[in-house]
Amino acid sequence: MAQAHRSGGPVRTARRRRVCGHARALLAILVTALVAGGAVPYVSGPGRAYVSYLVLAEREDAAGAARAGKESRAAGGQVVQEYPQIGAVLTYATGGFAERVRSRPGIAAVGATRTAPVVGPPRELAGAGDFGVGSDRRGDAGDSGTGTTAGTVPDPREGGAWNLAMVHAGAGAGAASGAVAGVGPTGDGVGGVPGPEAMRKVLVAVLDSGVDDTHPDLRAAVDPKASASCADGRPDARTGSWRPDPGVEESGHGTHVAGIIGAARDGQGVTGVAPGVRIAAVRLLGPLGQYYAENIVCGMLWAADHGAKAINDSYFADPWKYNCPEEPDQAAVIAAVGRAVAYARRKGAVVVASAGNDGQDLGAARTDRRSPNDRVTGPAPTRYLGTECIRLPGELPGVVTVTAVNRDGSPSSYTNYGRGRISLAAPGGDPDGGAEGAIVSDWPGGRFAALAGTSMSAAHVTGAVAVAAALHPDFGAAQLADLLARTAAGCPVRGCGDRGHFGAGLLVVPR
């Protein structure tokens, strides 16, 4: 069965890039790797190493972004994207940049978003970079690739969806066996879900590795006018930009997540929690295989500005599994992603995030043996972290953070947890339980895969938000999140303890 490393993603052990000791060797390795992979997204510089920075002004508006851009250029940086919604810019620069800009008037924070440098800023985008609704589509990215084939399963024909039975019945342990009543090509909904006319009015965003909108289950769901790529921190709205990059590991992950949320109810494949919902596919996973903070900020702002009622975040922010406020770079990343999340919530979106697959108590001190995960050599140092160090975006204020349960309603062995850190629990599955114990959903190339992880759990909650929004179109983000908390099934199994694994309880899709 396919397993993945993403915090919100399916459980996998993945090879990670490591930091090189010498800049010259690093540049040689990067150039060789990129050329060999057929993707060179950065402009070559004269033998110099560039790092990406988020520069945040004190003002969180367009004037603040202008100030951040001005100070960045004065310090020798190249501004490649402005985020006027939150008073920030994305800048590429060489050594000493952060120290020069932090002391400038009107600047609140500056932080590097990566540890491994690149050969130059991203190449210029033709006709992209606008957050506005209805951006022009130029060119064609072609059909999506097939991604990893491990874990693919036969077409389930909408049968045996224990996860849907669990969240629609709300009965917890033992509630899910067989297909869900009402699944099929006729009827008004699944388990009380509003019909397609009502669901079509709701948009949710999948910020992930990309979504294959050529998959039969997702052709009608993905809205091209609301989809884009933010794979380098800039909104690229060209046709197909949101599709997975077959050359990047885990590129099928976003398609799987999208299927859980909104796969069509047509008697074939799988059915989503909210069939009929419109999906804004926003690809964050870049060509180097990372979800950098600028990608997240770009995706969050894009989704919010296009009217998403829910934003699904089944990942953690690279390169640090946990970001610590006492580290200046990481503090700036926390602030930037925090501003983007707050902006999305003000625009009416419920931000949903996976709790992570490390089996750790988020409310206690913990270790991190994987960061920074963009290094290109050597082992990662062991970091001993306190509770002030947080996962992004899952531990930010107002985010609905989701843990995973197995088919019997018990907490999945891999799921993170923590009293006061968790909002809800939802089906994530057992990676050792075969296809029957995992979550079966869509996979690029018209296929299907069985995966397990808190990524899958978050997707169920995002689908439930979509249903709630269709039932209550006048509700704002806080009201929608509160509705899910109030309708949750409480403690679904014996021995819940202090509810650190369940938050408000097991997800129940509103009716």
Side-chain angles (χ1 to χ4, degrees):
M1 177 164 58
Q3 300 178 324
H5 85 286
R6 280 290 139 211
S7 85
V11 185
R12 172 188 286 171
T13 300
R15 296 173 295 175
R16 309 304 299 161
R17 294 177 175 82
R18 297 170 172 82
V19 177
C20 181
H22 297 88
R24 185 176 301 173
L26 171 62
L27 290 172
I29 291 170
L30 265 172
V31 171
T32 301
L34 289 169
V35 171
V40 185
Y42 299 100
V43 176
S44 291
R48 305 174 72 186
Y50 287 80
V51 171
S52 51
Y53 295 88
L54 284 170
V55 181
L56 284 69
E58 293 173 353
R59 293 186 55 161
E60 300 183 26
D61 55 15
R67 163 70 71 168
K70 177 182 178 181
E71 298 298 345
S72 295
R73 295 182 186 95
Q78 181 174 330
V79 176
V80 300
Q81 182 63 49
E82 291 190 354
Y83 306 116
Q85 303 94 324
I86 62 169
V89 298
L90 171 63
T91 301
Y92 277 73
T94 55
F97 171 81
E99 291 74 13
R100 293 193 296 272
V101 180
R102 283 180 186 136
S103 62
R104 300 298 299 164
I107 299 300
V110 182
T113 66
R114 64 182 73 213
T115 65
V118 294
V119 295
R123 296 184 183 278
E124 190 172 324
L125 288 175
D130 180 11
F131 283 101
V133 177
S135 300
D136 290 339
R137 267 53 184 170
R138 294 177 173 85
D140 193 334
D143 290 339
S144 63
T146 57
T148 304
T149 60
T152 55
V153 297
D155 184 343
R157 297 186 180 276
E158 297 185 347
W162 66 266
N163 51 308
L164 291 189
M166 178 178 284
V167 300
H168 284 295
S177 61
V180 181
V183 170
T186 61
D188 292 333
V190 180
V193 172
E197 183 176 345
M199 291 306 308
R200 196 66 188 164
K201 297 177 182 178
V202 178
L203 178 74
V204 300
V206 176
L207 276 55
D208 213 291
S209 63
V211 177
D212 179 8
D213 59 340
T214 71
H215 195 293
D217 273 348
L218 297 170
R219 284 174 184 159
V222 174
D223 183 351
K225 292 183 178 179
S227 299
S229 170
C230 279
D232 61 11
R234 302 173 297 174
D236 179 358
R238 292 174 295 179
T239 300
S241 62
W242 54 84
R243 295 174 186 151
D245 181 346
V248 179
E249 190 178 9
E250 301 171 19
S251 62
H253 182 268
T255 301
H256 194 276
V257 166
I260 295 171
I261 296 170
R265 179 171 52 87
D266 57 7
Q268 304 295 320
V270 298
T271 299
V273 175
V277 70
R278 288 184 297 125
I279 293 175
V282 185
R283 181 163 72 93
L284 301 189
L285 191 63
L288 299 181
Q290 302 291 332
Y291 292 80
Y292 286 122
E294 61 265 29
N295 305 16
I296 300 169
V297 168
C298 170
M300 200 75 65
L301 300 180
W302 175 274
D305 283 347
H306 283 75
K309 298 298 291 185
I311 301 175
N312 192 88
D313 303 275
S314 291
Y315 56 83
F316 66 89
D318 294 311
W320 304 98
K321 179 179 288 188
Y322 299 98
N323 284 269
C324 302
E326 65 269 20
E327 297 290 338
D329 288 330
Q330 295 169 40
V333 167
I334 293 171
V337 178
R339 287 187 184 187
V341 166
Y343 177 82
R345 295 183 66 234
R346 290 195 301 271
K347 296 281 283 188
V350 178
V351 180
V352 181
S354 50
N357 301 333
D358 302 299
Q360 293 182 328
D361 183 352
L362 299 177
R366 67 202 87 102
T367 57
D368 174 12
R369 295 185 174 90
R370 289 171 54 185
S371 301
N373 61 17
D374 62 348
R375 64 194 185 278
V376 293
T377 188
T382 299
R383 306 168 72 208
Y384 298 96
L385 308 176
T387 57
E388 76 281 0
C389 299
I390 63 172
R391 293 172 50 86
L392 294 176
E395 291 189 83
L396 288 168
V399 174
V400 176
T401 304
V402 190
T403 59
V405 299
N406 295 329
R407 185 168 182 159
D408 65 358
S410 63
S412 302
S413 60
Y414 53 80
T415 189
N416 287 348
Y417 58 96
R419 185 174 179 84
R421 303 296 180 106
I422 300 303
S423 306
L424 292 165
D430 180 359
D432 299 318
E436 294 78 15
I439 309 297
V440 176
S441 186
D442 301 321
W443 198 251
R447 295 175 297 166
F448 307 91
L451 303 178
T454 56
S455 275
M456 288 69 250
S457 308
H460 286 84
V461 172
T462 296
V465 174
V467 173
L471 292 170
H472 304 281
D474 57 328
F475 275 19
Q479 291 171 297
L480 292 171
D482 181 65
L483 176 61
L484 263 59
R486 287 188 286 106
T487 57
C491 180
V493 294
R494 292 180 180 177
C496 278
D498 63 5
R499 301 171 72 87
H501 282 92
F502 293 92
L506 181 68
L507 173 69
V508 176
V509 178
R511 307 178 175 226

